[in-house]
Amino acid sequence: MPRFSIVVPSHGVAGRLSQALDSVLAQSFGDFELIPVCDAPDAPAADVVAGYAERDSRVTPVHSPPSAGLAGARNTGLKAAVGGHVLFLDGDDVLVPGALAALDARLSAVGDVDVLYFEHERTPWWEGEPTNPAAPLLARTPKGAFSPDRAPQLTGVALPAWSAVYRRAFLTERDLAFPGDHFTDVGFGGLVALRAERVAALRAVVVRHLLRRQGNRLGLPGEHHAELLDQTELVLTRAAEQDLPADRLKPLFEQLFAAVLKTAAHPRRLTSERRAFFRRASALYRQHRPAGYRAPGGSVGVQHRLLASGSYAAFRTLRAAHRTASRAAALLPRPRGLRTRLRYAAALRLPLDRNLVVYCAYWGRGYACNPAAIHAKARLLAPQLRSVFLVEPEAVGSVPPGVEHAVIGSRKYWQVLARAKYLVNNANFADAVVKRPGSVHLQTQHGTPLKTMGADQATYPVVAAATGSFAKLLARVDRWDYNLTSNRHSTEMWERAFPSAHETLEYGYPRNDVYCTASADDVARVRKALGVPDGKKALLYAPTHRDYATGFETGLDLAEFCEAIGDDYVVLLRAHYFYDQGSSRGGGRIIDVTGHRSSEDVCLAADALITDYSSIMFDYANLDRPIVAYADDWDVYRETRGVYFDLMELPPGRVARTPEELAAVFRDGSYADETATSLRAAFRERFCQFDDGRAAERVVRRVLLGEPPESIPPVIPLAERVPAPAATLVRS
């Protein structure tokens, strides 16, 4: 019985088969049989093999039909083998000189092992440096023979079949053969590792894998990629039947799904049924995910989470961004002017200023929103920190006295961005801003998502066209360290919309703290500042932006509406900030508050809210005051923009579809009746989870002061909160 049986499938490699056979026959160690597997007696490879068989009795060719594929060819060769150990070699690869002698010596040293893994070298077809992908896996293995439990990273699925030599009796006794056709190495390697009891490693290159110019056949487009999921399911099912220990199951699971994720993201491999592939992969992932499994960090972890949730659109967008990351980075905007670029580059080489915090809101529109609320709280809890607010030139006047600011684009702007330890924004910083190691980026967001956001916009053409490059968007998202949410719904939707490795902080929105801390005097002061007449009920009308519309259109004749509801009311008009042009649209009983710096003040002043699909409804709900949804174009909005839930099924109060219906609910008082109150209570239960008046404190303590999560003040239950009082309405 020869020491080795070397099985060499030769399908489609007649032109390179000779060098493979020569590399075996030239070995200094000669105790082997060489089994070329040809597809037919009259095939080109068969002619090549026939010449070797005539010259060397150790060459014993066998035949396997092309329909049996690579797996069938290897299984045919395995059945014909009589050697003590079996080695599989592809027909266009070679054994390095001295390979068999090294294997013989190692097997003699470690004794009777089921599998001996070894290193291999991948050699570029034209130019480039060879690589040794097996080396990291084998580097941490024990010196002698060992149980697979001692090297859980050796799952078998990350190494090709020709990167190991197998004890033939082990394979035959356990009825181990190559499964399926394509990706058969994954299934075979996984099954072998699951059944092996004693293994060993040889930390030396035995096989030189010669890369093809046209690439691996498995990388070509076609339906065969679905077989990767077959092999994945086969291995994980056997692992479950075997009750594989957790420390071995985790790396097996990760290595299998690393291959699955790579295939799912490749645009050229899955020519069709990409979504079906992803859905099946997602189902397998959830079915076989180890108990207590935590996804890895970074971008890979984000991909795992998207696969687990079945978020195909977000996954596709994310991977597209990563594939073009280097190209996008080269095209990113840079600070204008050579002098500015040089100064910014020089400042980036200076140490971080660990006491410097840079804030920005709405791309520099002023001192507002969550960044302003965090800034105000930081001045109380962390006075040692220097804070700089970034604003556009025309917004300088909105910055309160005593608040340091920098004009966007100025020399100071680039200096503080380069040096700041902490960067806080409710949108995103400019593409040219570099995320420095050690810096901390906090994304506060500026609303709860009803409409689709981020990567989820990719499937809505009108919105996607306005959004621009999703690769650039996700590159900006990758700078985030923390992302703030005000409810669990937001947590889930932001993870879909902005997939990245950041940590989610379920602390509430700092700008909404005032809804639990303001007094009746505060409400009266704001109403007076806005010009709300004493004794009048103020209705805040706040419509959102329409992606499919040009310019601001209210969709409602406010003058006619005021006439229809009577003299007891005034309307506070707050257009979307996209349409804040500084000019008043008010008059009579209509007070235009679009340009007012604080949306929180406007909400405090209002006795009730009328909105369509604006996220202001989620913030206003914290006040527990009546809300009416004016949904005159809901179907168009939902189809064009996309939404995360059906607002008509879960409204914050009464719903009106026409101006007449809207006027009627105020004339008859049904906007604040028991039904409206019940709807609002359910809405608050879902969307007012974390806004308890202490969000800013939690953020400052955790992010700016670095306090541990367990020391952060817990969220006050919704039933125990006391919202700021309304001016004219009594809350039930």
Side-chain angles (χ1 to χ4, degrees), residues 87 116 151 201 214 286 327 348 367 380 399 464 522 588 616 619 731:
L87 174 68
L116 173 65
Q214 65 272 34
R286 292 190 296 269
R327 182 176 58 187
L348 288 172
Y367 185 83
L380 297 175
V399 180
D522 295 322
I616 199 171
D619 304 312
R731 191 167 36 248

Side-chain angles (χ1 to χ4, degrees), residues 602-624:
V602 174
C603 288
L604 284 173
D607 298 290
L609 170 67
I610 304 170
T611 187
D612 41 22
Y613 327 117
S614 170
S615 65
I616 199 171
M617 73 178 78
F618 302 99
D619 304 312
Y620 192 83
N622 286 287
L623 289 166
D624 197 15

